[in-house]
């Protein structure tokens, strides 16, 4: 089997309907029919995946089979393996001890989480810190804004610096963006994080004083302690495996007719092994104290199977640039700030990983239509890095703008609500926090980095 | 070892209330309070994909459980037994163990799993986890079971479980505690069966004289146990057997019509159990009788 280089030029626009349906399902079902969605999201995902796959295979046969297998083997499986291994390893680290939720302590926790997020993934950092953060503030009356800022920074913006940080960046890495290239986003991240931390500290100080200041001292003070610290070595193993796979070139192997770099296959195997070792090495009681469950990871795996499969036609059409049915989009989005805002706004509502790939393909379709993807990405980085920065920053930062922008958002929300912290509704979150706090920060980032 | 307070976690499966009713017999030997608990599985209410937490669903499940428990409480109250309700969200096994510790109960009673086609085991993985990890005695109740006997499927209702307990002893500390439990059943147990099996692993390669010595000592010990039981007002009879422990105990329990099995357990972890096996856990899995394991 081989790739059909021009399939994006012949695919009709309506072939993107399953993708749109999949993303709209993720956006609307949790809002309109949460119980139905909770019970049947796997079937919904399978429905859209089959709606695309069956006619696609019937019409394009070998080419369609190659494209579907390629996205599963080269993108989906590595993506899930990385998320799963980061989740398993970070779920084995337990922060114990007494933390008192003062403005300084809270700001410090969020700042630490922001730094950690790029190295253990936004999901990992969020899962590690959210429960200690909530426990530290259990006595506080106004806790909602704290969790919202936690989502902004730890579950999203903090993940900007490495492909481990946020799923979109890992997808970029899989397609040829160098591991350390994402460090070029450091200034953008530093500005956004600093601005948000200052706002957070001011808000927390205001509410802290209004609530009467110092937290009650119940006399029980346990020193801070990290249990399962050896998982930090497993984390280093994950970073090392991903890094090596980005540097080494060990030739290719054919898996079901899809050519994959041997270093990528070895990386995936190493990540699975590391996750297994973490599960074996970490006492079950420690994971239970972390309230660790595989359920959210299972959900992400099921949903993203549907997203990745249905994503094939839009990606191919966008790669065809002006010769594809989405030429109007390629021609409309021209400037870096266009890419930042359009990638960002769509990332807010359609999950940031597929949105990143969509606009990465828009950019390469615009600058290098018809070129093989890896080559086109290399040229984009060499000649137009600002565009890739705009796409990357837009996808990562705007994931914080809604609950559905990034997977860890819903996990943090769920844990906060379970522990009794009231969280705003979908629209309440957007209007009260995203529009008033995030959007001004994004305007600042635009003016500083993406305006001509 | 008196049972004054016990924990009864339930998922409201069929026959759960019948199971609870069989425990009322313990009132005559000191049972004063039952903690009724329902653990809402976190997966049912939390982590709505790209959503959040189903607060209303949790409330609904809590209310349903509370209504059912309140109905049960009326029966318990009329039997003179106090009760409390604990409803929590989380993972079943750690929550049950935590509640047992917090409430300082003397016994945890867990139910059997629903049998499916082709199964020959009477307990599921959650129950086995509780057995492995509980520092306090656990009764695996099996109110109604179906099992193969002489090639036929037999149904059995275990509704008078404390009448003829079979104590399977290996002379260990936990076995001794298991004996203490049966001693506390005076007035409830009509007769206790005290059994010991000289395991194949032990007897293999032994000289005849050594084997005879073990047999003699075992008989003496069995008699001592029976004497203690008779002294406490419970009729008792000794049974010595040899061979595969689990198979022999299953056979004895059937031949002498035991109503439950009581054993000590060393609470082996999964790895240990995988390599060395645990007679008590295998008995809990394979016996059609309620099995009380005392750590």
């Amino acid at each position: 089997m081989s790739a059909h280089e021009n399939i994006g030029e012949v695919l009709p626009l309506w072939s993107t309907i399953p993708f749109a349906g999949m993303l709209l399902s993720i956006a609307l079902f949790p809002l309109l029919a949460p119980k139905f969605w909770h019970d049947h999201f796997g079937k919904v995902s399978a429905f859209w995946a089959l709606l695309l796959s069956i006619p696609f295979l019937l019409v394009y046969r070998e080419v369609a089979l190659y494209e579907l297998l390629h996205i599963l083997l080269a993108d989906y499986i590595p993506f899930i393996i990385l998320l799963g291994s980061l989740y398993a390893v970070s779920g084995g680290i337990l922060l114990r001890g007494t933390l008192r939720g003062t403005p300084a302590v809270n700001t410090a926790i969020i700042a630490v989480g922001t730094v950690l997020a790029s190295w253990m993934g936004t999901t990992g950092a969020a899962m590690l810190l959210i429960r200690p953060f909530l426990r530290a503030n259990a006595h506080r009356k106004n806790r909602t804004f704290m969790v919202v800022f936690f989502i902004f920074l730890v579950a999203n913006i903090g993940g900007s610096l490495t492909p481990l940080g946020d799923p979109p960046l890992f997808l970029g890495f899989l397609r040829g963006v160098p591991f350390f290239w994402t460090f070029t986003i450091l200034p953008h991240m530093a500005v956004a994080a600093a601005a948000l931390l200052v706002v957070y500290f001011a808000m927390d100080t205001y509410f802290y004083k209004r609530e009467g200041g110092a937290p009650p001292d119940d006399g029980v003070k346990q020193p801070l302690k990290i249990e399962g610290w050896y998982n930090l070595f497993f984390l280093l193993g994950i970073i090392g495996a991903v890094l090596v796979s980005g540097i080494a070139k060990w030739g290719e192997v054919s898996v079901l007719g899809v050519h994959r770099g041997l270093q990528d296959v070895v990386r995936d195997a190493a990540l699975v092994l590391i996750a297994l070792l973490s599960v074996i090495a970490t006492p079950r009681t420690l994971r239970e104290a972390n309230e660790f469950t595989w359920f959210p990871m299972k959900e992400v795996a099921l949903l993203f199977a549907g997203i990745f499969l249905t994503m094939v036609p839009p990606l191919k059409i966008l790669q065809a640039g002006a010769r594809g049915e989405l030429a109007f989009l390629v021609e409309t989005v021209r400037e870096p700030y266009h890419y930042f805002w359009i990638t960002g706004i769509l990332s807010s509502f359609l999950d940031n990983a597929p949105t990143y790939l969509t606009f990465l393909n828009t950019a390469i379709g615009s600058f290098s239509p018809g070129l093989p993807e890896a080559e086109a990405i290399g040229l984009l980085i060499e000649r137009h890095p600002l565009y890739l920065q705009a796409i990357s920053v837009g996808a990562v930062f705007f994931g914080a703008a809604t609950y559905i922008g990034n997977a860890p958002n819903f996990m943090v929300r769920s844990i906060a609500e379970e522990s009794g912290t009231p969280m705003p509704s979908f629209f309440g979150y957007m209007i009260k926090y995203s529009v008033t706090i995030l959007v001004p920060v994004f305007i600042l980032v635009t003016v500083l980095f993406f305006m001509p | 070892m008196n049972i004054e307070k016990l924990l009864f976690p339930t998922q409201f499966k069929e026959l759960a209330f019948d199971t609870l009713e069989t425990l009322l017999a313990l009132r005559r030997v000191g049972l004063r309070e039952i903690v009724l608990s329902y653990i809402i599985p976190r997966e049912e209410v939390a982590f709505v994909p790209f959503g959040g937490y189903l607060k209303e669903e949790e409330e609904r499940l809590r209310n349903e459980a509370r209504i059912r428990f309140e109905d049960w409480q009326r029966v318990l109250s009329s039997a003179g037994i106090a009760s409390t309700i604990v409803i929590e969200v989380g993972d079943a096994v750690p929550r049950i163990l935590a509640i047992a510790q917090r409430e300082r109960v003397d016994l945890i009673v867990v139910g059997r799993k629903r049998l499916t086609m082709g199964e020959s085991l009477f307990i599921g993985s959650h129950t086995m986890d509780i057995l492995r990890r509980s520092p306090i005695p656990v009764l695996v109740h099996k109110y109604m079971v179906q099992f193969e006997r002489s090639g036929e499927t037999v149904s059995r209702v275990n509704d008078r479980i404390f009448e003829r307990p079979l104590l399977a002893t290996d002379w260990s500390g936990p076995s001794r505690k298991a004996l203490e439990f049966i001693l506390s059943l005076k007035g409830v147990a009509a007769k206790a069966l005290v059994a010991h099996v000289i395991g194949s692993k032990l007897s293999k390669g032994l000289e005849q004289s050594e084997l005879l010595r073990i047999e003699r000592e075992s008989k003496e010990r069995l008699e001592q146990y029976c004497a203690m039981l008779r002294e406490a007002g419970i009729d008792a009879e000794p049974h010595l057997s040899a061979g595969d422990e689990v198979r022999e105990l299953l056979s004895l329990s059937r031949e002498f019509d035991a109503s439950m099995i009581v054993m000590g357990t060393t609470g082996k972890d999964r790895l240990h159990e995988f390599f060395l096996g645990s007679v008590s856990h295998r008995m809990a899995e394979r016996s059609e009788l309620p099995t009380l394991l005392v750590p």
Side-chain angles (χ1 to χ4, degrees), chain B residues 182-218:
Chain B
I182 298 184
L183 285 170
S184 76
L185 291 181
K186 184 189 170 188
V188 176
K191 185 175 207 172
L193 311 165
V194 184
H196 175 68
V197 178
I198 301 171
S200 312
K201 278 182 200 162
L202 179 72
S203 58
K204 239 181 233 171
L206 279 185
E207 301 248 335
Q208 182 68 10
S209 58
E210 184 63 8
L211 194 59
L212 286 172
R213 187 189 63 76
I214 291 173
E215 185 185 339
R216 192 176 59 247
E217 275 184 11
S218 299

Side-chain angles (χ1 to χ4, degrees), chain A residues 8 11-12 15-16 52 56 309-318 326:
Chain A
L11 276 169
S15 65
T16 63
L52 178 273
F56 192 45
L309 285 172
T310 55
M311 197 162 57
V312 171
L315 290 186
K316 286 286 144 193
I317 296 172
L318 284 167
L326 286 167

